[in-house]
Amino acid sequence: MRKEIPIALSFLAGIIMLIDSFTPGNFAPRVELSKWLIIMSAFMVGIASVNLVRIHGANVISRRKGWFNSFSLLVMLVAFTYVGVMKYSYPEVETWKVLFQNFYDYIMSPPAAVMYAIIAFYVSSASYRAFKARSVEATVLLVAAVVVMLGKAPVGELIWSKFPVISSWLLNVANTTGQRGIMIGAAIGGFVTSLRVLLGLERGHLGGV
Amino acid sequence: MSTDPWIWIMGLLMLGIFSFLIKENPFYRWVEHVYVGAAAGYGLSMGYNNIINQAWDPLVVQGKLIYIIPIILGIMAYARFIKPISWLSRWPMAIISGAGAGNALYGATNSSLVAQVKANLLPLNSFNNIFMVVGVLAVMVYFLFSRDQKGPVKHFASGGRMLLMVTFGVSFGNVIMGRISLLLGALQSIFGKWLGIISL
């Protein structure tokens, strides 16, 4: 039962989705299942938070190294959740809306943006080491990257007027061709994996039962 | 310089993440933890909103008893924390992954496989069209691992590999440009909104 029921549920859910694709209009069980998926996913988000509370709560209680960081994480988690719950529970109260938006705009978004931004430095330094033109393939990659960057930056056009044209061709023709080949390959792989999940041959997501 | 406390919080948090460029330090680690807490809190708030709107209101307000099932399934996911009944958490996971697989079987195949193959059936009347048709074939041949690539097939596959290198180079260039844009936005926030050194 521990093995068969999850496989049967996977199959049933997959078949409902699949039938919808081949029926005109909205297939009622699929509409219902989509709502169920949102609800179940919402509960799943809580699992991650429970894990965070367990790990960081233990850090704080046993005063491990860096416990203050864990404490700050928990405070932030509780504060943001509380403000969010109040915002959605009392939509007519403007204070909660403003506070939630400020939490999002000034506490959550800026560090995320900077984290993505500083990757530029690390990608550049990593590429300096990785892109040394040691082979023809590496050279082609390096040249394509440099031409695209020069084509997009205003200074590229000042150096050579053809840079934007070549960059545009690389983006629209060469890149599309390569991406298309990758997409077709990945789609075939995705099709096979999906079929394996539906037929119960792929069970890694169920804890390898 | 801004006098808004929210702007100061924003500036200090951004500075904390930027400080990682020097080396990993306690300030960075603290900001990192605050960010993770905020992101988890945001996710929980959204989850709460979804549960209330999609499950609780239909169940309690509209009396749709069927919504008890996804609620129970959602709660079953937490069984993973109780060892004797941890296997129960597989049920909601099975439904979610099965639905995803069923969706991908048609949706992703249709948009990624069929649509891309159709888009590549081009009239061979220009250099670009010939390049795209032959290029996609070459990339596909490069991905053909089920038999040895010898003779002309090997050369064709090498062409595909070269095209893939161009694709990766273009993607890399795009990523760098995107990150630089983000960096400029972050610097504008620090030097403009917070410190008021530059005008926005």
Side-chain angles (χ1 to χ4, degrees), chain B residues 21-56:
Chain B
L21 288 173
I22 302 165
K23 64 183 271 194
E24 202 192 352
N25 60 76
F27 185 32
Y28 166 78
R29 275 198 293 277
W30 181 77
V31 175
E32 189 188 30
H33 279 76
V34 166
Y35 170 67
V36 172
Y42 179 75
L44 269 183
S45 311
M46 290 295 150
Y48 169 81
N49 186 36
N50 280 338
I51 290 169
I52 294 296
N53 284 339
Q54 305 279 343
W56 190 251

Side-chain angles (χ1 to χ4, degrees), chain B residues 71-100:
Chain B
I71 292 177
I72 291 173
L73 283 166
I75 293 169
M76 275 165 76
Y78 290 82
R80 63 171 52 230
F81 296 116
I82 308 160
K83 213 153 195 188
I85 54 162
S86 64
W87 55 275
L88 278 174
S89 68
R90 289 175 194 153
W91 291 23
M93 187 53 82
I95 295 174
I96 290 175
S97 45

Side-chain angles (χ1 to χ4, degrees), chain A:
Chain A
M1 195 170 98
R2 293 182 183 193
K3 191 164 123 182
E4 287 80 9
I5 291 180
I7 292 171
L9 286 173
S10 265
F11 182 75
L12 193 67
I15 286 296
I16 289 173
M17 288 294 187
L18 209 52
I19 290 173
D20 178 65
S21 307
F22 293 101
T23 46
N26 285 330
F27 182 51
R30 192 237 202 254
V31 176
E32 206 56 44
L33 181 61
S34 299
K35 288 180 189 166
W36 287 25
L37 291 176
I38 295 171
I39 297 164
M40 284 188 281
S41 306
F43 276 101
M44 295 279 185
V45 173
I47 292 179
S49 301
V50 170
N51 268 329
L52 277 177
V53 171
R54 277 169 50 151
I55 293 166
H56 291 279
N59 281 351
V60 174
I61 289 166
S62 49
R63 290 282 195 279
R64 284 192 200 120
K65 196 182 167 199
W67 69 270
F68 185 72
N69 292 338
S70 295
F71 177 72
S72 305
L73 184 149
L74 292 174
V75 168
M76 207 58 237
L77 171 67
V78 172
F80 211 144
T81 308
Y82 181 74
V83 171
V85 167
M86 295 311 273
K87 180 203 165 195
Y88 291 118
S89 301
Y90 304 100
E92 68 282 356
V93 181
E94 198 62 27
T95 316
W96 296 119
K97 266 189 205 168
V98 173
L99 202 54
F100 187 82
Q101 197 59 45
N102 282 348
F103 266 54
Y104 184 84
D105 289 343
Y106 299 111
I107 296 178
M108 203 180 118
S109 292
V114 179
M115 271 190 198
Y116 280 111
I118 63 171
I119 288 173
F121 292 96
Y122 292 101
V123 173
S124 305
S125 77
S127 61
Y128 173 74
R129 276 170 277 163
F131 284 2
K132 282 177 188 161
R134 275 179 288 205
S135 64
V136 182
E137 283 88 350
T139 313
V140 169
L141 198 151
L142 177 69
V143 170
V146 170
V147 170
V148 166
M149 282 191 272
L150 284 173
K152 280 192 161 187
V155 71
E157 198 171 1
L158 287 175
I159 297 169
W160 188 34
S161 61
K162 292 277 184 237
F163 270 135
V165 181
I166 299 171
S167 165
S168 169
W169 184 85
L170 281 174
L171 268 169
N172 298 326
V173 180
N175 181 46
T176 306
T177 308
Q179 294 285 2
R180 193 166 277 165
I182 294 170
M183 277 171 86
I184 292 171
I188 294 169
F191 181 86
V192 174
T193 309
S194 301
L195 206 57
R196 283 176 61 84
V197 170
L198 280 195
L199 297 175
L201 298 170
E202 189 70 55
R203 298 174 198 165
H205 60 287
L206 301 174
V209 287

Side-chain angles (χ1 to χ4, degrees), chain B residues 22-192:
Chain B
I22 302 165
K23 64 183 271 194
E24 202 192 352
N25 60 76
F27 185 32
Y28 166 78
R29 275 198 293 277
W30 181 77
V31 175
E32 189 188 30
H33 279 76
V34 166
Y35 170 67
V36 172
Y42 179 75
L44 269 183
S45 311
M46 290 295 150
Y48 169 81
N49 186 36
N50 280 338
I51 290 169
I52 294 296
N53 284 339
Q54 305 279 343
W56 190 251
D57 282 353
L59 178 71
V60 177
V61 182
Q62 298 162 26
K64 291 181 179 170
L65 293 177
I66 196 153
Y67 283 93
I68 198 91
I69 301 172
I71 292 177
I72 291 173
L73 283 166
I75 293 169
M76 275 165 76
Y78 290 82
R80 63 171 52 230
F81 296 116
I82 308 160
K83 213 153 195 188
I85 54 162
S86 64
W87 55 275
L88 278 174
S89 68
R90 289 175 194 153
W91 291 23
M93 187 53 82
I95 295 174
I96 290 175
S97 45
N103 224 1
L105 211 57
Y106 179 85
T109 307
N110 194 27
S111 61
S112 295
L113 183 61
V114 179
Q116 293 301 325
V117 171
K118 271 167 80 176
N120 209 49
L121 296 174
L122 298 162
L124 302 175
N125 55 5
S126 69
F127 172 76
N128 283 353
N129 284 4
I130 295 169
F131 182 89
M132 287 179 100
V133 172
V134 177
V136 170
L137 280 174
V139 173
M140 298 300 297
V141 168
Y142 175 68
F143 283 131
L144 204 69
F145 298 120
S146 52
R147 59 176 59 216
D148 275 349
Q149 293 176 341
K150 288 185 230 164
V153 177
K154 189 182 171 189
H155 294 298
F156 197 49
S158 309
R161 190 170 64 202
M162 213 56 87
L163 192 56
L164 280 174
M165 290 301 141
V166 174
T167 307
F168 295 144
V170 170
S171 301
F172 175 78
N174 272 333
V175 167
I176 292 281
M177 296 305 281
R179 303 293 189 215
I180 297 284
S181 299
L182 273 173
L183 179 67
L184 291 177
L187 292 175
Q188 272 183 342
S189 294
I190 289 178
F191 291 108

